[in-house]
Amino acid sequence: MNIVVIDGQGGGMGKMLVAAILEKYPAAALTAVGTNSAATLAMRKAGATRAATGENAVVVACRTADVIVGPVGIAVADALMGEVTPRMAEAVGSSRARRVLIPVNACETIIVGVEEVGIATLVRKAVELL
């Protein structure tokens, strides 16, 4: 299974996802893609051996992904304070991959009906779904 983790800003959620996925699935084919270099670096420090940065990296990774994991903002143009370009959001949304999106009520996108819990709990739940 080809798992792609996408994150932006400081990469905190991506770092937690990479560490949790590799702990539960150590043989997983995991690719970390940051919308910026700080996010990519954080995911590399968490153990991602395959990592890339930027818009084209997101587009290319989404083509071959079986599962895409990250904050819900990766599927919303201009989310993460503008780091998610329309092309990135389209690549995530049109990918044949299953998407495991973590609801973060931020960046002007609020998901109704989602309970407010900590990121660590949401990451654990996301990894369980894999």
Side-chain angles (χ1 to χ4, degrees):
M1 174 170 42
N2 183 15
I3 302 169
V4 173
V5 176
I6 302 173
D7 197 15
Q9 297 186 312
M13 182 186 296
K15 180 179 179 177
M16 292 172 67
L17 281 166
V18 167
I21 291 167
L22 291 176
E23 182 178 323
K24 186 165 183 173
Y25 306 105
L30 186 141
T31 302
V33 184
T35 62
N36 63 60
S37 58
T40 304
L41 180 61
M43 291 186 282
R44 268 196 149 333
K45 286 182 178 179
T49 56
R50 290 177 39 97
T53 303
E55 180 183 72
N56 200 58
V58 170
V59 172
V60 171
C62 287
R63 287 184 196 146
T64 58
D66 294 310
V67 180
I68 298 170
V69 187
V72 70
I74 64 174
V76 178
D78 299 330
L80 303 181
M81 297 182 67
E83 290 183 21
V84 178
T85 67
R87 190 168 172 231
M88 289 175 175
E90 180 181 12
V92 171
S94 64
S95 175
R96 66 171 186 78
R98 177 166 297 228
R99 287 165 290 279
V100 178
L101 302 177
I102 297 173
V104 180
N105 289 334
C107 297
E108 306 306 323
T109 301
I110 298 170
I111 306 191
V112 176
V114 174
E115 62 183 283
E116 292 290 329
V117 296
I119 295 295
T121 299
L122 293 170
V123 166
R124 183 179 44 75
K125 287 181 178 184
V127 173
E128 287 172 7
L129 286 172
L130 292 176

